Amino acid sequence: MGTDQRDVADAEAILAQIERFLLPVELLMPLLRQNGMEALYTIPHPRGFHPLICGSEAYRRFGELTKRYLSSNPEKATRVSAEAYVEALREEFSVRYLRDFETIDELTVPKMLESAYQQTQSKFEDTVYYIPCSIVALNDPSEFQLGPVTFFHKSRFMELHKQEIELTRENISQAHQMRVQELVSKGQDPARAATPAQSRDHADFLVDGLLDFLDRHHWIAAVRVENRERIKSKSVANLVLEAGLNILKLLFGAEVGSEIRSAYQAGRPFNTAEIFRGADGKLDISLTHNYEGSLLGPNWFKRLTTPDDYFLRTAGRTLVASTDSTIRRPLCERFLDAVTWYGEAATEISPAARIVRFVSALERLTMTKATDRVMAVVTKRSAIFSEGFQQLGRDHWLSELKKLYGRRSGLVHGSISPFDESLPAVSAQAGRLVRWIILSMLRFFDRLGLETQSFTPAQLECEFLKLEQLLPTPADRTGGR
């Protein structure tokens, strides 16, 4: 069955489900008693009255229509979320087939699908998201740039926005009172309506809650997302910021990057408590206030710009590329994927899990095709970019990388316990080595054309082979003996 026929079949099934629930109350209630949850699945009434029950099967079919439309229109899928599109689709279905009584066929269904997108497109906008995050407590500098993300220390952010935030108190209070008066004009009992004082309390609750939330974090990231529907743009903003924070973890190093995160990412709570019973049989308690962000000294920003700001600027360029997912930039994607693995490793508590993620970062950087020689390819290519780390050469690091890969394989396949006592030291050294390799490969990708849109895995394979011929390993130099 082709896509058009599947779409028509789904639309017909949805209509049948709606008709199934279009019953007098005395007949509808016994049906809902069989499964009351069905009443939660509704579609807008074509005349604006109470929503109509359509049931879970209709919702599933709307989901299938949404999935097929967005998968066959990838550029549009970068602009609108599935949630927003399916909501518009339900409205469009109601208008066309319940109000206007159009015939469900291969002409009207595609028009419905396209009209639903146009409905969401009318809501596209440029949005700047301000997202609290933890980096360091210090405020020198008070702001800095990483590609499309501007990080403001909270003192600088409040200097710029405090007055406007305070103005929202009055705006919220006035808007709330306008809604109250509108409801009263439509018949609501004035005695039950919120007073101006209650509207101000409502505004204070919202604004004070925001300020309290912001105050728990030392930094605010500003991320601008253009020409997208709100749910999608928020998702893009969070992904871009997460990638940016992972880049900071890489530049600072995994050993100090574990507490870098956005306010919406899981992490160690700021305040913790313990309760235990000692040998004397008495209960004892302790409270701990954890440091927010990484423990970096007053020269923390120099770590991002020493010996120069090349890596900060170049990594920032990969973030710029990530804000427009309609254009593929394969080398940027590889770098950001590897940085994601590195960032996850930095946040991990378990040394075993860290090792798995560090090696996954190397695999993402170096693998271009399926092969049964994964370890040989990854370690050989990674060793090329290990040159100079701790003033040691490729041959040394090739041997160490093979040991590291063996550890990862042993952990994944069960021959090494995740509680092996040697793993903390292995993990710490792996973090330093993999950081060096990722940054070296960023420079390599930059020389190849970091933002090139048409750089294929086959082209990257050719570039790796050239390096391998130019910089042979000991096995290469001895003919594999």
Side-chain angles (χ1 to χ4, degrees), residues 180-190 192:
V180 168
Q181 296 307 316
E182 181 182 356
L183 290 172
V184 170
S185 69
K186 293 180 178 179
Q188 179 177 307
D189 182 1
R192 300 180 59 189

Side-chain angles (χ1 to χ4, degrees), residues 46-204:
R47 303 294 179 187
F49 303 136
H50 194 277
L52 300 174
I53 298 173
C54 63
S56 59
E57 176 61 16
Y59 257 53
R60 187 187 71 81
R61 299 276 187 159
F62 275 123
E64 291 299 315
L65 286 166
T66 297
K67 186 187 305 181
R68 281 197 295 272
Y69 180 82
L70 294 180
S71 64
S72 61
N73 294 276
E75 193 280 332
K76 293 178 179 178
T78 66
R79 303 289 178 191
V80 62
S81 65
E83 298 95 321
Y85 179 80
V86 77
E87 181 179 348
L89 183 60
R90 288 193 288 266
E91 293 178 5
E92 191 66 24
F93 185 99
S94 179
V95 168
R96 285 178 177 271
Y97 301 125
L98 303 183
R99 188 192 72 184
D100 299 342
F101 300 106
E102 290 186 7
T103 301
I104 295 177
D105 56 32
E106 293 183 8
L107 292 177
T108 64
V109 171
K111 290 180 181 178
M112 174 190 67
L113 295 171
E114 190 59 34
S115 293
Y117 178 77
Q118 291 170 0
Q119 187 180 142
T120 59
Q121 189 176 32
S122 66
K123 301 175 183 178
F124 286 4
E125 60 183 358
D126 298 344
T127 309
V128 180
Y129 293 90
Y130 299 102
I131 307 172
C133 50
S134 301
I135 303 176
V136 297
L138 304 172
N139 63 348
D140 183 19
S142 60
E143 64 182 87
F144 66 96
Q145 193 84 21
L146 179 57
V149 184
T150 304
F151 291 94
F152 297 96
H153 189 269
K154 67 179 178 182
S155 59
R156 175 60 175 159
F157 179 83
M158 294 308 295
E159 177 187 332
L160 294 172
H161 300 286
K162 180 64 181 285
Q163 185 176 358
E164 186 177 1
I165 291 173
E166 288 299 329
L167 284 175
T168 61
R169 291 183 192 271
E170 188 61 29
N171 295 337
I172 293 171
S173 178
Q174 290 177 358
H176 189 257
Q177 267 301 296
M178 287 178 63
R179 288 195 298 272
V180 168
Q181 296 307 316
E182 181 182 356
L183 290 172
V184 170
S185 69
K186 293 180 178 179
Q188 179 177 307
D189 182 1
R192 300 180 59 189
T195 65
Q198 289 173 324
S199 292
R200 285 193 295 273
D201 289 342
H202 171 69
D204 289 341

Side-chain angles (χ1 to χ4, degrees), residues 36 38 72-73 96 131 147 171 207 210 214 221 239 418 427 450:
E38 291 292 278
S72 61
N73 294 276
R96 285 178 177 271
I131 307 172
N171 295 337
V207 175
L210 168 71
L214 295 181
L239 287 173
S427 171
L450 189 60

Side-chain angles (χ1 to χ4, degrees), residues 217-248:
H217 304 83
H218 289 302
W219 291 83
I220 314 293
V223 187
R224 180 181 176 84
V225 182
E226 298 181 350
N227 196 33
R228 282 177 172 82
E229 163 271 322
R230 180 63 63 86
I231 298 175
K232 189 68 173 184
S233 71
K234 182 179 179 181
S235 172
V236 170
N238 282 314
L239 287 173
V240 170
L241 176 58
E242 184 177 352
L245 294 175
N246 283 331
I247 288 172
L248 292 181

